[in-house]
Amino acid sequence: MNILEIRDLDSGYGKALILQDLSIDVKEGGFTAIIGPNGAGKTTLLRTIFSLCDLYKGTISFRGKDITRIKAENLSDIGLNYVPQEESIFPSLTVFENLRMGSVKEKSREKISSRLERVYNRFPVLEKRHGQSAGTLSGGERQMLAVGCALMTDPDLLLLDEPTAGLAPTLVEGLFQDIAKLNTEGRSLLLVEQNAKMALQYAHEAYILEGGRIKQHDDAANLLKSEEIIKHYLSV
Ligand SMILES: Nc1ncnc2c1ncn2[C@@H]1O[C@H](COP(=O)(O)OP(=O)(O)OP(=O)(O)O)[C@@H](O)[C@H]1O
Ligand SMILES: [Mg+2]
C-alpha cells in the first residue's frame, strides 16, 4: 500500500515547465529518496506536492485521496508536513516558541505536550536550548529545530528537502540517523538529497531525478551497488 502516489506529473513556474512525466510512490511506512544534482527539480517536486508551484498535468494522492488541489496550509490536517530547503524557523523566537508555532492549529494540550516530549526525546539538544532564541542556534541545531517544528503536527508522511545541506560532515551522519529513526518509529519519509551516498545508505528505495525527469528507480541497496550510479553520484 502506498501512502503517496504521484502520476504523470508535469509542473513548474508560470511558463517554465520543470518536472515532466513524473510518477513516484512512497510506501506506507517507507523511506523514499529522490537524488539528483543542482537544478534537477528536487525542490520543485516537494513544492508541487505542497501546491506551492504550478501543476500542469497529473495527479497526487495521499492514502488514495486526491490532494492535487488541497492548499498547503490544510495538508498538515490530513497527515503531511514539509521541511523546506530554505530557512523556515523564526530566528527571534525561542526554540520552544518555534515548536509551539509548529502546532499552532492543534487545540488539545495533551497532544501538544506529548508531541513536544517526542521532539525533545529525538533531539535532546533542543530541550537543553528551549529558551534560547532560534537565531543563535548552530546550523545543525537549526536543522533539528526545523524538523522538530514539522513533527509538531505529528505527520504520517514527512517531506524533507536536503536537511543536512551545509552541515559539517561529522553532523551529517548524526542527523541522517535521527531521520532514519523517525521512519523506524512509523513515519513515512520522502527525502530529496544531493548527498546520494548518505541518502542511499539510509533510504529503502530511491529515484534518480535529472533535468526534471526520473532516470532510474530501484531499491537503494541496488543503486548503491550500480556501477553507473557509483560513477555519476558516488565517486566524489
Ligand atoms: N520560481 C521559479 N521560477 C522559475 N524557475 C524556477 C523557480 N524556482 C526554480 N526554478 C528552476 O527550476 C529548476 C529546478 O529547480 P529546483 O530548485 O527544483 O532544483 P533542485 O533540484 O532543488 O536544486 P538544488 O539541489 O540546487 O536545491 C531550476 O532550473 C530552477 O532555475
Ligand atoms: Mg533544492
mmCIF file of all heavy atoms in Angstrom, residues 76-111:
data_model
loop_
_atom_site.group_PDB
_atom_site.id
_atom_site.type_symbol
_atom_site.label_atom_id
_atom_site.label_comp_id
_atom_site.label_asym_id
_atom_site.label_seq_id
_atom_site.Cartn_x
_atom_site.Cartn_y
_atom_site.Cartn_z
ATOM 1 N N SER A 76 -1.356 19.661 6.548
ATOM 2 C CA SER A 76 -0.942 19.098 7.838
ATOM 3 C C SER A 76 -2.138 18.479 8.574
ATOM 4 O O SER A 76 -1.963 17.558 9.370
ATOM 5 C CB SER A 76 -0.256 20.152 8.699
ATOM 6 O OG SER A 76 -1.163 21.164 9.025
ATOM 7 N N ASP A 77 -3.350 18.958 8.287
ATOM 8 C CA ASP A 77 -4.547 18.402 8.948
ATOM 9 C C ASP A 77 -4.778 16.948 8.541
ATOM 10 O O ASP A 77 -5.385 16.186 9.280
ATOM 11 C CB ASP A 77 -5.813 19.196 8.556
ATOM 12 C CG ASP A 77 -5.705 20.653 8.944
ATOM 13 O OD1 ASP A 77 -4.878 20.956 9.825
ATOM 14 O OD2 ASP A 77 -6.439 21.477 8.366
ATOM 15 N N ILE A 78 -4.325 16.571 7.341
ATOM 16 C CA ILE A 78 -4.574 15.193 6.906
ATOM 17 C C ILE A 78 -3.332 14.302 7.057
ATOM 18 O O ILE A 78 -3.350 13.145 6.668
ATOM 19 C CB ILE A 78 -5.130 15.130 5.457
ATOM 20 C CG1 ILE A 78 -4.135 15.743 4.463
ATOM 21 C CG2 ILE A 78 -6.491 15.785 5.349
ATOM 22 C CD1 ILE A 78 -4.491 15.428 3.017
ATOM 23 N N GLY A 79 -2.247 14.863 7.619
ATOM 24 C CA GLY A 79 -1.120 13.985 7.964
ATOM 25 C C GLY A 79 0.151 14.160 7.160
ATOM 26 O O GLY A 79 1.008 13.279 7.156
ATOM 27 N N LEU A 80 0.277 15.323 6.461
ATOM 28 C CA LEU A 80 1.521 15.574 5.720
ATOM 29 C C LEU A 80 2.203 16.804 6.291
ATOM 30 O O LEU A 80 1.529 17.765 6.653
ATOM 31 C CB LEU A 80 1.186 15.956 4.274
ATOM 32 C CG LEU A 80 1.235 14.916 3.190
ATOM 33 C CD1 LEU A 80 -0.166 14.431 2.966
ATOM 34 C CD2 LEU A 80 1.766 15.530 1.931
ATOM 35 N N ASN A 81 3.515 16.773 6.322
ATOM 36 C CA ASN A 81 4.217 18.029 6.602
ATOM 37 C C ASN A 81 5.533 18.076 5.848
ATOM 38 O O ASN A 81 5.950 17.077 5.258
ATOM 39 C CB ASN A 81 4.400 18.281 8.095
ATOM 40 C CG ASN A 81 4.334 19.771 8.412
ATOM 41 O OD1 ASN A 81 4.473 20.630 7.535
ATOM 42 N ND2 ASN A 81 4.126 20.082 9.672
ATOM 43 N N TYR A 82 6.161 19.247 5.855
ATOM 44 C CA TYR A 82 7.216 19.566 4.908
ATOM 45 C C TYR A 82 8.301 20.372 5.611
ATOM 46 O O TYR A 82 8.001 21.370 6.262
ATOM 47 C CB TYR A 82 6.541 20.397 3.795
ATOM 48 C CG TYR A 82 7.378 20.973 2.693
ATOM 49 C CD1 TYR A 82 8.574 20.399 2.290
ATOM 50 C CD2 TYR A 82 6.933 22.106 2.009
ATOM 51 C CE1 TYR A 82 9.298 20.947 1.236
ATOM 52 C CE2 TYR A 82 7.653 22.648 0.961
ATOM 53 C CZ TYR A 82 8.846 22.068 0.587
ATOM 54 O OH TYR A 82 9.555 22.606 -0.444
ATOM 55 N N VAL A 83 9.552 19.924 5.499
ATOM 56 C CA VAL A 83 10.686 20.725 5.980
ATOM 57 C C VAL A 83 11.364 21.307 4.746
ATOM 58 O O VAL A 83 12.058 20.600 4.021
ATOM 59 C CB VAL A 83 11.702 19.867 6.777
ATOM 60 C CG1 VAL A 83 12.814 20.748 7.344
ATOM 61 C CG2 VAL A 83 11.012 19.080 7.883
ATOM 62 N N PRO A 84 11.130 22.593 4.446
ATOM 63 C CA PRO A 84 11.648 23.160 3.195
ATOM 64 C C PRO A 84 13.159 23.359 3.216
ATOM 65 O O PRO A 84 13.794 23.312 4.271
ATOM 66 C CB PRO A 84 10.921 24.500 3.073
ATOM 67 C CG PRO A 84 10.407 24.820 4.412
ATOM 68 C CD PRO A 84 10.362 23.568 5.230
ATOM 69 N N GLN A 85 13.713 23.592 2.025
ATOM 70 C CA GLN A 85 15.166 23.803 1.907
ATOM 71 C C GLN A 85 15.555 25.163 2.494
ATOM 72 O O GLN A 85 16.571 25.283 3.160
ATOM 73 C CB GLN A 85 15.548 23.726 0.419
ATOM 74 C CG GLN A 85 17.033 23.829 0.147
ATOM 75 C CD GLN A 85 17.379 23.483 -1.309
ATOM 76 O OE1 GLN A 85 16.522 23.523 -2.187
ATOM 77 N NE2 GLN A 85 18.625 23.154 -1.554
ATOM 78 N N GLU A 86 14.718 26.160 2.220
ATOM 79 C CA GLU A 86 15.043 27.483 2.748
ATOM 80 C C GLU A 86 14.698 27.523 4.234
ATOM 81 O O GLU A 86 13.875 26.748 4.714
ATOM 82 C CB GLU A 86 14.301 28.582 1.974
ATOM 83 C CG GLU A 86 12.789 28.562 2.101
ATOM 84 C CD GLU A 86 12.080 27.604 1.123
ATOM 85 O OE1 GLU A 86 12.723 26.731 0.538
ATOM 86 O OE2 GLU A 86 10.851 27.732 1.003
ATOM 87 N N GLU A 87 15.339 28.439 4.938
ATOM 88 C CA GLU A 87 15.143 28.536 6.383
ATOM 89 C C GLU A 87 13.667 28.744 6.716
ATOM 90 O O GLU A 87 13.018 29.637 6.171
ATOM 91 C CB GLU A 87 15.966 29.708 6.906
ATOM 92 C CG GLU A 87 15.889 29.831 8.381
ATOM 93 C CD GLU A 87 17.265 29.744 9.027
ATOM 94 O OE1 GLU A 87 18.095 28.922 8.606
ATOM 95 O OE2 GLU A 87 17.495 30.489 9.964
ATOM 96 N N SER A 88 13.149 27.924 7.626
ATOM 97 C CA SER A 88 11.724 28.017 7.915
ATOM 98 C C SER A 88 11.444 28.373 9.370
ATOM 99 O O SER A 88 10.296 28.456 9.776
ATOM 100 C CB SER A 88 11.056 26.678 7.581
ATOM 101 O OG SER A 88 11.665 25.652 8.320
ATOM 102 N N ILE A 89 12.514 28.567 10.150
ATOM 103 C CA ILE A 89 12.263 28.858 11.567
ATOM 104 C C ILE A 89 12.210 30.373 11.802
ATOM 105 O O ILE A 89 12.612 31.152 10.947
ATOM 106 C CB ILE A 89 13.344 28.210 12.473
ATOM 107 C CG1 ILE A 89 14.727 28.706 12.084
ATOM 108 C CG2 ILE A 89 13.254 26.695 12.405
ATOM 109 C CD1 ILE A 89 15.822 28.239 13.010
ATOM 110 N N PHE A 90 11.682 30.752 12.945
ATOM 111 C CA PHE A 90 11.598 32.183 13.295
ATOM 112 C C PHE A 90 12.781 32.516 14.206
ATOM 113 O O PHE A 90 12.783 32.124 15.370
ATOM 114 C CB PHE A 90 10.279 32.468 14.008
ATOM 115 C CG PHE A 90 9.066 32.159 13.185
ATOM 116 C CD1 PHE A 90 8.388 30.954 13.330
ATOM 117 C CD2 PHE A 90 8.602 33.069 12.230
ATOM 118 C CE1 PHE A 90 7.274 30.651 12.556
ATOM 119 C CE2 PHE A 90 7.483 32.780 11.459
ATOM 120 C CZ PHE A 90 6.824 31.574 11.615
ATOM 121 N N PRO A 91 13.791 33.248 13.681
ATOM 122 C CA PRO A 91 15.023 33.446 14.453
ATOM 123 C C PRO A 91 14.837 34.227 15.748
ATOM 124 O O PRO A 91 15.567 34.015 16.707
ATOM 125 C CB PRO A 91 15.943 34.205 13.485
ATOM 126 C CG PRO A 91 15.132 34.575 12.301
ATOM 127 C CD PRO A 91 13.853 33.826 12.334
ATOM 128 N N SER A 92 13.832 35.128 15.798
ATOM 129 C CA SER A 92 13.715 35.936 17.015
ATOM 130 C C SER A 92 12.900 35.231 18.100
ATOM 131 O O SER A 92 12.868 35.673 19.242
ATOM 132 C CB SER A 92 13.086 37.290 16.683
ATOM 133 O OG SER A 92 11.826 37.067 16.102
ATOM 134 N N LEU A 93 12.254 34.121 17.750
ATOM 135 C CA LEU A 93 11.513 33.364 18.764
ATOM 136 C C LEU A 93 12.433 32.305 19.383
ATOM 137 O O LEU A 93 13.421 31.896 18.777
ATOM 138 C CB LEU A 93 10.304 32.659 18.140
ATOM 139 C CG LEU A 93 9.233 33.545 17.499
ATOM 140 C CD1 LEU A 93 8.048 32.678 17.051
ATOM 141 C CD2 LEU A 93 8.761 34.615 18.465
ATOM 142 N N THR A 94 12.079 31.864 20.595
ATOM 143 C CA THR A 94 12.880 30.818 21.235
ATOM 144 C C THR A 94 12.602 29.471 20.561
ATOM 145 O O THR A 94 11.645 29.332 19.780
ATOM 146 C CB THR A 94 12.527 30.669 22.728
ATOM 147 O OG1 THR A 94 11.170 30.216 22.812
ATOM 148 C CG2 THR A 94 12.695 31.983 23.490
ATOM 149 N N VAL A 95 13.427 28.493 20.931
ATOM 150 C CA VAL A 95 13.238 27.128 20.421
ATOM 151 C C VAL A 95 11.831 26.639 20.781
ATOM 152 O O VAL A 95 11.085 26.138 19.932
ATOM 153 C CB VAL A 95 14.331 26.205 21.019
ATOM 154 C CG1 VAL A 95 13.999 24.737 20.812
ATOM 155 C CG2 VAL A 95 15.680 26.570 20.426
ATOM 156 N N PHE A 96 11.459 26.809 22.042
ATOM 157 C CA PHE A 96 10.136 26.373 22.490
ATOM 158 C C PHE A 96 9.024 27.081 21.717
ATOM 159 O O PHE A 96 8.068 26.453 21.260
ATOM 160 C CB PHE A 96 9.986 26.614 24.004
ATOM 161 C CG PHE A 96 8.580 26.432 24.486
ATOM 162 C CD1 PHE A 96 8.045 25.160 24.635
ATOM 163 C CD2 PHE A 96 7.768 27.534 24.767
ATOM 164 C CE1 PHE A 96 6.725 24.980 25.055
ATOM 165 C CE2 PHE A 96 6.454 27.369 25.180
ATOM 166 C CZ PHE A 96 5.927 26.087 25.325
ATOM 167 N N GLU A 97 9.167 28.400 21.553
ATOM 168 C CA GLU A 97 8.119 29.158 20.834
ATOM 169 C C GLU A 97 8.010 28.707 19.376
ATOM 170 O O GLU A 97 6.912 28.613 18.824
ATOM 171 C CB GLU A 97 8.421 30.656 20.890
ATOM 172 C CG GLU A 97 8.176 31.257 22.266
ATOM 173 C CD GLU A 97 8.826 32.634 22.452
ATOM 174 O OE1 GLU A 97 9.711 33.015 21.653
ATOM 175 O OE2 GLU A 97 8.462 33.310 23.420
ATOM 176 N N ASN A 98 9.149 28.397 18.753
ATOM 177 C CA ASN A 98 9.109 27.871 17.389
ATOM 178 C C ASN A 98 8.341 26.550 17.347
ATOM 179 O O ASN A 98 7.504 26.348 16.462
ATOM 180 C CB ASN A 98 10.531 27.638 16.859
ATOM 181 C CG ASN A 98 11.068 28.836 16.100
ATOM 182 O OD1 ASN A 98 10.764 29.004 14.923
ATOM 183 N ND2 ASN A 98 11.854 29.660 16.767
ATOM 184 N N LEU A 99 8.623 25.687 18.297
ATOM 185 C CA LEU A 99 7.945 24.384 18.306
ATOM 186 C C LEU A 99 6.438 24.572 18.537
ATOM 187 O O LEU A 99 5.617 23.898 17.906
ATOM 188 C CB LEU A 99 8.568 23.460 19.362
ATOM 189 C CG LEU A 99 10.001 23.014 19.032
ATOM 190 C CD1 LEU A 99 10.653 22.342 20.246
ATOM 191 C CD2 LEU A 99 10.025 22.062 17.839
ATOM 192 N N ARG A 100 6.094 25.499 19.405
ATOM 193 C CA ARG A 100 4.665 25.785 19.645
ATOM 194 C C ARG A 100 3.995 26.305 18.374
ATOM 195 O O ARG A 100 2.858 25.942 18.067
ATOM 196 C CB ARG A 100 4.502 26.820 20.767
ATOM 197 C CG ARG A 100 4.377 26.286 22.140
ATOM 198 C CD ARG A 100 3.242 25.271 22.312
ATOM 199 N NE ARG A 100 1.935 25.873 22.572
ATOM 200 C CZ ARG A 100 0.896 25.842 21.752
ATOM 201 N NH1 ARG A 100 0.996 25.274 20.574
ATOM 202 N NH2 ARG A 100 -0.254 26.370 22.098
ATOM 203 N N MET A 101 4.736 27.125 17.614
ATOM 204 C CA MET A 101 4.187 27.619 16.343
ATOM 205 C C MET A 101 3.903 26.451 15.401
ATOM 206 O O MET A 101 2.983 26.499 14.589
ATOM 207 C CB MET A 101 5.175 28.561 15.643
ATOM 208 C CG MET A 101 5.388 29.879 16.336
ATOM 209 S SD MET A 101 3.965 30.946 16.220
ATOM 210 C CE MET A 101 4.126 31.514 14.549
ATOM 211 N N GLY A 102 4.739 25.416 15.501
ATOM 212 C CA GLY A 102 4.562 24.237 14.650
ATOM 213 C C GLY A 102 3.225 23.559 14.872
ATOM 214 O O GLY A 102 2.696 22.896 13.976
ATOM 215 N N SER A 103 2.673 23.692 16.085
ATOM 216 C CA SER A 103 1.401 23.010 16.368
ATOM 217 C C SER A 103 0.308 24.027 16.682
ATOM 218 O O SER A 103 -0.588 23.781 17.487
ATOM 219 C CB SER A 103 1.559 22.045 17.539
ATOM 220 O OG SER A 103 1.964 22.767 18.671
ATOM 221 N N VAL A 104 0.395 25.182 16.012
ATOM 222 C CA VAL A 104 -0.498 26.294 16.352
ATOM 223 C C VAL A 104 -1.973 25.964 16.103
ATOM 224 O O VAL A 104 -2.861 26.478 16.786
ATOM 225 C CB VAL A 104 -0.025 27.566 15.590
ATOM 226 C CG1 VAL A 104 -0.373 27.518 14.126
ATOM 227 C CG2 VAL A 104 -0.528 28.833 16.236
ATOM 228 N N LYS A 105 -2.228 25.011 15.178
ATOM 229 C CA LYS A 105 -3.635 24.682 14.891
ATOM 230 C C LYS A 105 -4.198 23.628 15.841
ATOM 231 O O LYS A 105 -5.395 23.373 15.843
ATOM 232 C CB LYS A 105 -3.758 24.167 13.443
ATOM 233 C CG LYS A 105 -3.659 25.292 12.406
ATOM 234 C CD LYS A 105 -3.488 24.740 11.014
ATOM 235 C CE LYS A 105 -4.802 24.595 10.275
ATOM 236 N NZ LYS A 105 -4.555 24.013 8.923
ATOM 237 N N GLU A 106 -3.315 22.995 16.608
ATOM 238 C CA GLU A 106 -3.778 21.919 17.488
ATOM 239 C C GLU A 106 -4.377 22.490 18.774
ATOM 240 O O GLU A 106 -3.783 23.330 19.425
ATOM 241 C CB GLU A 106 -2.585 20.990 17.813
ATOM 242 C CG GLU A 106 -2.921 19.829 18.723
ATOM 243 C CD GLU A 106 -4.072 18.975 18.214
ATOM 244 O OE1 GLU A 106 -3.954 18.448 17.101
ATOM 245 O OE2 GLU A 106 -5.101 18.865 18.920
ATOM 246 N N LYS A 107 -5.569 22.030 19.125
ATOM 247 C CA LYS A 107 -6.254 22.561 20.304
ATOM 248 C C LYS A 107 -5.956 21.748 21.566
ATOM 249 O O LYS A 107 -6.041 22.273 22.671
ATOM 250 C CB LYS A 107 -7.779 22.573 20.071
ATOM 251 C CG LYS A 107 -8.214 23.470 18.911
ATOM 252 C CD LYS A 107 -8.239 24.939 19.308
ATOM 253 C CE LYS A 107 -8.576 25.867 18.162
ATOM 254 N NZ LYS A 107 -7.522 25.988 17.150
ATOM 255 N N SER A 108 -5.661 20.458 21.400
ATOM 256 C CA SER A 108 -5.510 19.600 22.574
ATOM 257 C C SER A 108 -4.147 19.804 23.252
ATOM 258 O O SER A 108 -3.102 19.555 22.666
ATOM 259 C CB SER A 108 -5.672 18.131 22.145
ATOM 260 O OG SER A 108 -4.987 17.283 23.022
ATOM 261 N N ARG A 109 -4.201 20.240 24.526
ATOM 262 C CA ARG A 109 -2.947 20.455 25.275
ATOM 263 C C ARG A 109 -2.171 19.160 25.452
ATOM 264 O O ARG A 109 -0.948 19.151 25.448
ATOM 265 C CB ARG A 109 -3.265 20.997 26.679
ATOM 266 C CG ARG A 109 -3.508 22.472 26.679
ATOM 267 C CD ARG A 109 -4.113 22.904 28.007
ATOM 268 N NE ARG A 109 -4.378 24.329 27.954
ATOM 269 C CZ ARG A 109 -3.683 25.241 28.632
ATOM 270 N NH1 ARG A 109 -2.707 24.885 29.430
ATOM 271 N NH2 ARG A 109 -3.977 26.518 28.537
ATOM 272 N N GLU A 110 -2.918 18.060 25.636
ATOM 273 C CA GLU A 110 -2.249 16.758 25.823
ATOM 274 C C GLU A 110 -1.445 16.399 24.584
ATOM 275 O O GLU A 110 -0.314 15.945 24.675
ATOM 276 C CB GLU A 110 -3.266 15.631 26.090
ATOM 277 C CG GLU A 110 -3.940 15.670 27.445
ATOM 278 C CD GLU A 110 -5.020 16.747 27.528
ATOM 279 O OE1 GLU A 110 -5.672 17.006 26.498
ATOM 280 O OE2 GLU A 110 -5.179 17.344 28.606
ATOM 281 N N LYS A 111 -2.076 16.596 23.413
ATOM 282 C CA LYS A 111 -1.372 16.243 22.172
ATOM 283 C C LYS A 111 -0.135 17.111 22.005
ATOM 284 O O LYS A 111 0.933 16.623 21.647
ATOM 285 C CB LYS A 111 -2.299 16.436 20.958
ATOM 286 C CG LYS A 111 -3.241 15.272 20.753
ATOM 287 C CD LYS A 111 -3.962 15.404 19.427
ATOM 288 C CE LYS A 111 -5.028 14.330 19.302
ATOM 289 N NZ LYS A 111 -6.005 14.639 18.265
#
